[in-house]
Amino acid sequence: MNGNFEITILVNNVSSTPDLITEHGYSLHISDGERKILFDAGQERQVLENNARKLGIDLKGVDTVALSHGHYDHSGGLEALLSVGGSVDFYAHPAALSTRYSVRPERVKSNGMPPAVCEAVHKLPQSRRHWSEEPVMLTKQIGLTGYVPRVSEFEDTGGPFFLDQYGRVEDLISDDQALWLRTTQGLVICAGCSHSGIVNIVRHVLEISGGGRIYAVIGGLHLVNASHERINRTIEALEQLKPELIVPCHCTGAVATDRILEHFSSRAVIGASGQRYLFEQV
Ligand SMILES: [Fe+2]
Ligand SMILES: [Fe+2]
């Protein structure tokens, strides 16, 4: 009999129970029964640790950490995990370590990986650090997309992101990547913030996985600043793929989340920490 993939939302802006701490951040725990993967780590270590404890997940059992991108709300919780003696395999695009900012007229904010986490990454043994510019398989059935080509004309990074604090050099967030799983129901795509655009991500997964059916899309869709046109075109493009499950999380934004729930109806669920999704392994 095949086993199950278990995907648990550990950290998110919304929670399913009051004992789980919410924050502007995102983290998933993904297990196939053997490998224990942390996909992103939220913003605060205490949040990650509290929620893992409450959900019965032992972070010491994590053998693989994969980052969707280097923003602080996905990497901030990582320091302790990476400092536990080099027993964790770490996957990220090298640009995840960039110094970067969100630049708005009223506020400039450093939004990259915290320095202590960067240092912990640099201190990892070289054999444990894996730079995923290209697609990479973590197991036979679980892959990382690496760099996602920006093809669709209506998607962008979704915010005022720059590599300098004066707003001169645009940050294309080339480190943005997603994790995907091959299940008996079809492909399951886990996105972090979707700064590449969720439609670009889904199309890229179809290409690198050899195609097939998209069963589920789970993650931050970063439509929080998106125009109605972009939201509509995103929904249209996703609808063409006929997914059975869409779980908008984290930075999807209230307007886009409402539109997704309205359109996909029983196929959409608002993502909340504490939710567990099971998929049968191929
Ligand atoms: Fe985010
Ligand atoms: Fe982000």
Side-chain angles (χ1 to χ4, degrees):
M1 200 178 88
N2 294 330
N4 283 326
F5 291 115
E6 184 181 278
I7 299 177
T8 307
I9 304 180
L10 273 181
V11 178
N12 188 41
N13 302 42
V14 174
S15 123
S16 58
T17 61
D19 59 338
L20 299 174
I21 306 173
T22 56
E23 67 171 4
H24 177 69
Y26 193 59
S27 174
L28 296 178
H29 183 265
I30 298 163
S31 169
D32 64 2
E34 287 178 20
R35 290 291 284 272
K36 307 267 192 288
I37 301 166
L38 193 72
F39 181 60
D40 291 348
Q43 183 180 154
E44 297 284 345
R45 169 186 170 178
Q46 289 78 1
V47 176
L48 180 71
E49 290 177 351
N50 171 79
N51 291 4
R53 197 170 47 247
K54 295 278 164 55
L55 292 166
I57 288 174
D58 180 9
L59 291 175
K60 290 198 190 77
V62 167
D63 51 57
T64 305
V65 169
L67 274 190
S68 67
H69 64 306
H71 277 162
Y72 71 101
D73 51 325
H74 297 250
S75 60
L78 268 186
E79 188 192 347
L81 250 171
L82 294 182
S83 308
V84 289
S87 56
V88 169
D89 279 294
F90 173 79
Y91 290 81
H93 186 288
L97 278 79
S98 307
T99 302
R100 51 191 13 170
Y101 303 88
S102 114
V103 181
R104 296 176 193 276
E106 70 282 7
R107 189 178 65 151
V108 174
K109 187 180 171 202
S110 167
N111 67 354
M113 188 182 285
V117 178
C118 279
E119 203 176 313
V121 171
H122 285 302
K123 279 188 182 158
L124 284 172
Q126 241 181 39
S127 59
R128 295 286 189 187
R129 251 184 288 151
H130 311 275
W131 299 122
S132 53
E133 288 130 304
E134 300 291 325
V136 57
M137 296 306 291
L138 301 177
T139 74
K140 275 190 177 159
Q141 315 297 352
I142 305 176
L144 288 173
T145 60
Y147 175 77
V148 177
R150 316 293 168 93
V151 179
S152 72
E153 72 279 14
F154 59 91
E155 297 184 299
D156 59 22
T157 58
F161 302 125
F162 292 91
L163 294 172
D164 67 302
Q165 52 193 306
Y166 308 105
R168 291 181 188 137
V169 185
E170 190 182 354
D171 182 0
L172 297 172
I173 317 186
S174 49
D175 41 324
D176 186 64
Q177 64 176 341
L179 181 147
W180 61 273
L181 307 99
R182 206 188 306 275
T183 78
T184 56
Q185 295 110 310
L187 298 164
V188 173
I189 298 175
C190 300
C193 262
S194 303
H195 291 297
S196 321
I198 190 61
V199 177
N200 284 328
I201 288 172
V202 171
R203 288 179 180 155
H204 188 50
V205 170
L206 282 170
E207 195 169 314
I208 62 180
S209 66
R213 159 156 201 242
I214 300 290
Y215 183 75
V217 175
I218 301 170
L221 307 185
H222 210 89
L223 296 170
V224 63
N225 304 311
S227 64
H228 286 288
E229 191 205 342
R230 177 173 174 182
I231 293 172
N232 289 339
R233 292 186 75 177
T234 300
I235 289 172
E236 272 166 33
L238 292 176
E239 179 56 60
Q240 282 174 15
L241 300 160
K242 305 236 171 300
E244 281 300 315
L245 177 66
I246 296 202
V247 185
C249 302
H250 179 44
C251 52
T252 302
V255 174
T257 299
D258 284 348
R259 288 280 295 108
I260 288 167
L261 292 175
E262 186 189 3
H263 180 91
F264 290 97
S265 184
S266 62
R267 291 181 289 155
V269 179
I270 298 181
S273 51
Q275 288 173 348
R276 280 201 161 103
Y277 294 94
L278 298 178
F279 303 98
E280 195 184 20
Q281 293 179 33
V282 176

